[in-house]
C-alpha cells in the first residue's frame, strides 16, 4: 500500500459520510433554501446600510417581537402539513391574552393568568376542531369565520377599552420570560422571549421530525385514507393540531402583553398575513404531507426583517408591502424549483 493511500475501511467510511451528508441535505433542502435566502437578504440589507446592519441592537430590536410570530408559526406548520388551515389564530391571540391580562389586572397571580390563557387557547383550538373535523366544515371558511366571531366577541366584552398591567414589571415571572436576568445573556443583549421561542421551536422540530405525532401528521396530510388503513386515528390527529395551534396562539398573546405591559382589543390583529407568509416562505407547501418547522421559523425571521431593511435602506414605508410581495414571490419560486409535489 502506498504512503498516500487510504485504507479501504477509511475510504468506505468517507463514502458513507458523504452519502449521509447528501441524504441529509436532500431531506432538508427546503429549510436550507430558506436559510440561504435569509443570509442573502441580510447581506443585501447590510450593503444598503452598513451602519445599521452591523450593529447588534438592530437585530435585538427585531428579536423583541419576533418570538410572538414564532409561537404561531411552529404549530401552524403542523396544521398545514396535516392538510388543514387555521385562520382564527389572530383572534385566539387576542382572547387568550385578554384572559391573562384581566386576571393580572384584578390582582391575580400571573401564573394563574398564564394557565387561564393556555386553557382558553386550547379550548378555542378544540372548538375549531369540532367545526372542521367533527362537523366537516371547510377549514378555510370555518376558521376565518371564527376569527371574525372571536374578534367581535372581544369588542363586545371590552367595548374598545384596553387593559394596562404595569404592575407585572419586575415580577419573577416577567423577569423569567421577557427580561435578561442571566448575566451572560444580558451581556449579549438577547431578550429572554427569544430564548423561549427558540426552545419552543426546538420542541416543534422534535415533535415534527422525531416523534410519532409528527409521523401521524405527515401521513394524515399525505393521504388520510391510507393513514386510516395504517391504524392512525385521523380525526384525533387533526384535532390535536388545532389544539396545538390554540396553545401556540395563547403563548403568543401572553408574551405580547408581557412585552408591552398593555392588552389592546386589537391584540393579534396584523399577524395573519406575516405569519402565513412565514410558513410558506419557510418551505411548507400548501398541499399538505410535507413541511419544515425550522424553515417556518426562518421564514418568519425573513418576514420580520423586511420592514427594518426597507427603512434602513433609505426607502419610505410605502415600499414595505412591495418588498413583502417581492421577497415572498421570489422565495416561493426558489422553493418551487427546489422540490415539487414530492412527499
Amino acid at each position: 500500500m502506498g504512503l498516500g493511500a487510504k485504507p479501504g475501511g477509511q475510504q468506505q467510511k468517507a463514502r458513507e459520510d458523504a452519502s449521509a451528508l447528501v441524504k441529509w441535505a436532500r431531506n432538508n433542502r427546503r429549510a436550507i433554501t430558506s436559510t440561504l435566502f435569509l443570509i442573502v437578504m441580510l447581506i443585501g440589507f447590510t450593503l444598503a446600510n452598513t451602519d445599521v446592519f452591523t450593529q447588534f441592537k438592530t437585530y435585538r430590536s427585531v428579536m423583541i417581537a419576533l418570538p410572538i410570530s414564532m409561537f404561531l408559526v411552529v404549530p401552524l406548520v403542523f396544521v398545514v402539513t396535516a392538510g388543514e388551515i387555521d385562520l382564527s389564530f389572530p383572534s385566539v391571540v387576542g382572547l387568550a391574552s385578554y384572559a391573562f391580562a384581566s386576571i393580572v389586572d384584578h390582582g391575580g397571580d400571573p401564573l394563574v393568568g398564564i394557565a387561564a390563557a393556555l386553557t382558553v387557547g386550547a379550548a378555542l383550538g378544540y372548538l375549531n376542531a369540532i367545526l372542521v373535523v367533527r362537523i366537516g366544515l371547510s377549514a378555510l371558511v370555518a376558521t376565518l369565520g371564527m376569527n371574525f366571531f372571536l374578534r367581535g366577541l372581544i369588542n363586545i366584552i371590552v367595548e374598545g377599552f384596553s387593559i394596562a398591567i404595569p404592575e407585572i414589571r419586575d415580577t419573577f415571572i416577567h423577569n423569567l420570560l421577557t427580561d435578561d436576568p442571566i448575566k451572560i445573556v444580558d451581556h449579549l443583549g438577547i431578550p429572554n422571549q427569544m430564548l423561549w421561542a427558540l426552545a419552543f421551536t426546538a420542541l416543534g422540530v422534535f415533535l415534527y421530525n422525531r416523534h410519532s405525532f409528527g409521523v401521524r401528521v405527515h401521513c394524515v396530510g399525505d393521504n388520510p385514507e391510507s393513514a386510516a388503513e395504517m391504524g392512525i386515528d385521523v380525526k384525533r390527529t387533526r384535532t390535536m393540531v388545532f389544539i396545538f395551534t390554540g396553545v401556540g396562539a395563547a403563548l403568543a398573546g401572553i408574551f405580547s402583553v408581557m412585552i408591552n405591559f398593555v392588552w389592546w382589543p386589537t391584540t393579534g390583529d396584523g399577524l395573519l398575513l406575516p405569519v402565513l407568509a412565514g410558513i410558506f416562505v419557510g418551505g411548507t407547501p400548501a398541499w399538505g404531507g410535507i413541511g419544515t418547522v425550522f424553515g417556518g421559523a426562518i421564514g418568519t425571521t425573513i418576514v420580520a426583517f423586511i420592514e427594518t431593511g426597507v427603512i434602513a435602506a433609505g426607502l419610505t414605508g410605502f415600499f414595505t408591502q412591495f418588498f413583502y410581495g417581492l421577497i415572498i414571490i421570489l422565495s416561493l419560486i426558489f422553493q418551487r424549483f427546489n422540490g415539487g409535489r414530492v412527499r
Side-chain angles (χ1 to χ4, degrees), residues 37 55 57 68 101 108 111 164 189 221 242 266 314 336:
F37 193 90
Q55 298 184 41
K57 64 181 181 181
I68 296 172
L111 288 176
F242 279 109
T266 57
R336 176 63 183 85

Side-chain angles (χ1 to χ4, degrees), residues 134-330:
R134 303 296 175 178
I135 299 179
L137 302 181
S138 165
L140 177 67
V141 178
T143 58
L144 182 61
M146 183 61 68
N147 184 45
F148 287 109
F149 171 78
L150 294 177
R151 187 61 63 183
L153 180 63
I154 291 171
N155 290 324
I156 291 172
I157 293 173
V158 301
E159 296 181 341
F161 289 96
S162 60
I163 301 175
I165 52 171
E167 62 271 20
I168 201 172
R169 186 189 297 271
D170 294 329
T171 61
F172 170 76
I173 194 67
H174 177 262
N175 291 337
L176 178 65
L177 297 181
T178 60
D179 269 356
D180 304 315
I182 303 174
K183 295 300 182 182
I184 297 177
V185 176
D186 185 58
H187 178 69
L188 293 175
I190 300 175
N192 274 6
Q193 60 262 33
M194 190 66 204
L195 301 180
W196 286 106
L198 291 175
F200 187 72
T201 302
L203 173 64
V205 171
F206 170 75
L207 292 175
Y208 194 81
N209 296 324
R210 300 293 181 181
H211 194 270
S212 59
F213 177 60
V215 175
R216 294 194 297 270
V217 170
H218 282 83
C219 292
V220 169
D222 184 17
N223 192 319
E225 290 79 13
S226 297
E229 292 178 359
M230 294 167 58
I232 296 175
D233 191 333
V234 175
K235 290 185 176 180
R236 185 174 186 274
T237 300
R238 285 176 168 167
T239 298
M240 291 302 297
V241 297
F242 279 109
I243 294 175
F244 188 25
T245 302
V247 171
L251 288 172
I254 292 167
F255 277 88
S256 175
V257 173
M258 284 199 176
I259 292 169
N260 297 294
F261 304 106
V262 178
W263 175 87
W264 291 279
T266 57
T267 297
D269 275 356
L271 291 174
L272 182 63
L273 295 182
V275 169
L276 291 179
I279 295 171
F280 300 121
V281 167
T284 298
W287 55 77
I290 53 176
T292 165
V293 172
F294 178 78
I298 295 297
T300 304
T301 306
I302 291 173
V303 175
F305 270 102
I306 290 177
E307 185 171 2
T308 302
V310 168
I311 301 301
L315 300 174
T316 65
F318 297 112
F319 284 85
T320 302
Q321 289 191 351
F322 170 80
F323 279 98
Y324 269 134
L326 178 63
I327 290 178
I328 289 171
I329 291 172
L330 289 177

Side-chain angles (χ1 to χ4, degrees), residues 102-125:
S102 59
I103 289 176
V104 175
D105 184 51
H106 286 84
D109 191 313
L111 288 176
V112 176
I114 291 174
L118 293 175
T119 302
V120 170
L124 293 175

Side-chain angles (χ1 to χ4, degrees), residues 113-133:
I114 291 174
L118 293 175
T119 302
V120 170
L124 293 175
Y126 184 63
L127 179 58
N128 282 330
I130 291 176
L131 296 175
V132 176
V133 180

